[in-house]
């Protein structure tokens, strides 16, 4: 049986020795959409862990790591900073009003079987306005999946396509992806997100993926 292993947060930080030696990247504005919240808890794991809590913890860690490791290289905004419900249209509207360079929506998955792993979605509907950002979204999602597979040893379920509202309403403005971090209905992955070190490691993998993508775009 393939079991998700705890990851040493310190080991992941070693990669920073190389990254911090590079030329600084011009500050970009990023919107992290923290899925669910308030009256909408999202998926509930076998151990009672809630999706809205998991994604909020990871989003906050991304902000902390950006300041701690990258010295605030990126201007990161969250769609929510506590347990409250934010309408989907307001999440997309925030990215547009802030002129964000990317929109990353964080979620956790659920299934009726023992599914596991991380997958990333972008919009499934191509148009003249959306096509350039869909291609960029695929590149962004691929970078995040690569960092997660390399450092978290989580199964890579690949890039997928869907007509999610937050993607549909944002893709015309900037690259937009929805990250399903793992399955809370899987006993290994639900237990994984209970560990603070794993929350930090997941946040760092996402931050590194975003950083890789933005360097490619320069």
């Amino acid at each position: 049986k393939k079991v998700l292993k705890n990851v040493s947060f310190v080991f992941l930080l070693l990669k920073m020795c190389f990254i911090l030696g590079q030329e600084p990247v011009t500050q970009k504005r990023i919107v992290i959409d923290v899925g669910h919240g308030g009256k909408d808890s999202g998926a509930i794991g076998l151990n009672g862990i809630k999706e809205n809590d998991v994604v909020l913890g990871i989003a906050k860690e991304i902000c902390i790591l950006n300041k701690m490791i990258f010295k605030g290289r990126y201007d990161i905004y969250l769609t929510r900073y506590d347990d409250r419900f934010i309408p989907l249209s307001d999440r997309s509207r925030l990215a547009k009003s802030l002129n964000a360079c990317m929109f990353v929506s964080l979620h956790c998955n659920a299934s009726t079987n023992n599914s596991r792993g991380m997958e990333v979605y972008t919009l499934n509907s191509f148009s003249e306005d959306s096509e350039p950002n869909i291609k960029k979204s695929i590149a962004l999602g691929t970078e995040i999946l690569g960092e997660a597979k390399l450092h978290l040893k989580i199964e890579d379920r690949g890039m997928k396509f869907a007509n999610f509202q937050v993607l549909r309403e944002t893709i015309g403005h900037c690259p937009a992806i929805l990250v399903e971090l793992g399955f809370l209905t899987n006993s290994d992955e639900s237990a994984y997100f209970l560990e603070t070190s794993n929350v930090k490691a997941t946040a760092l993998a996402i931050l590194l993926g975003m950083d890789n993508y933005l360097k490619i775009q320069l």
Side-chain angles (χ1 to χ4, degrees):
K1 180 183 177 181
K2 184 178 179 182
V3 178
L4 188 65
K5 298 180 180 179
N6 284 3
V7 177
S8 170
F9 182 60
V10 175
F11 175 77
L12 254 180
L13 286 177
L14 292 177
K15 187 165 184 175
M16 298 301 98
C17 295
F18 172 76
I19 290 177
L20 292 178
Q22 306 303 302
E23 289 296 319
V25 178
T26 302
Q27 191 176 48
K28 300 287 187 178
R29 187 166 293 165
I30 297 170
V31 168
I32 303 293
D33 174 34
V34 188
H36 304 281
K39 63 182 181 180
D40 178 13
S41 65
I44 299 178
L46 299 176
N47 49 18
I49 192 171
K50 296 181 180 179
E51 179 179 1
N52 60 333
D53 294 330
V54 173
V55 295
L56 180 59
I58 291 172
K60 286 183 173 180
E61 283 297 334
I62 291 173
C63 294
I64 292 171
L65 293 170
N66 176 54
K67 293 178 180 177
M68 182 177 74
I69 299 171
F70 287 127
K71 309 303 180 186
R73 175 182 295 175
Y74 300 114
D75 193 13
I76 300 179
Y77 288 80
L78 306 185
T79 54
R80 65 180 179 91
Y81 291 85
D82 53 22
D83 188 19
R84 70 178 65 193
F85 177 77
I86 306 294
L88 296 180
S89 292
D90 289 348
R91 297 166 188 258
S92 300
R93 192 174 295 116
L94 179 66
K96 296 174 185 177
S97 65
L98 292 173
N99 194 28
C101 72
M102 70 171 69
F103 177 90
V104 179
S105 187
L106 301 182
H107 290 262
C108 294
N109 231 329
S111 73
T112 56
N113 52 40
N114 203 36
S115 299
R116 64 173 64 239
M118 179 185 290
E119 58 193 23
V120 178
Y121 287 85
T122 191
L123 191 67
N124 64 356
S125 178
F126 287 79
S127 69
E128 186 175 342
D129 291 336
S130 68
E131 185 172 0
N133 282 333
I134 289 177
K135 291 180 178 179
K136 291 178 181 179
S137 298
I138 294 171
L140 170 60
T142 300
E143 290 293 340
I144 291 175
L145 285 168
E147 290 291 340
K149 184 176 181 180
L150 177 63
H151 296 299
L152 307 181
K153 310 303 180 186
I154 193 168
E155 183 177 326
D156 178 357
R157 293 172 62 89
M159 284 295 309
K160 300 187 178 183
F161 300 88
N163 193 33
F164 297 133
Q165 182 177 340
V166 290
L167 300 180
R168 187 173 65 248
E169 295 184 357
T170 313
I171 200 76
H173 176 77
C174 65
I177 61 173
L178 187 148
V179 183
E180 294 282 6
L181 298 162
F183 285 80
L184 297 187
T185 47
N186 180 284
S187 58
D188 295 332
E189 295 188 353
S190 61
Y192 179 84
F193 288 118
L194 286 174
E195 299 293 330
T196 300
S197 61
N198 294 334
V199 170
K200 292 178 180 289
T202 303
L204 184 55
I206 294 169
L207 183 59
L208 289 175
M210 295 190 302
D211 182 65
N212 292 346
Y213 164 79
L214 288 171
K215 286 178 177 176
I216 293 171
Q217 297 304 307
L218 294 178

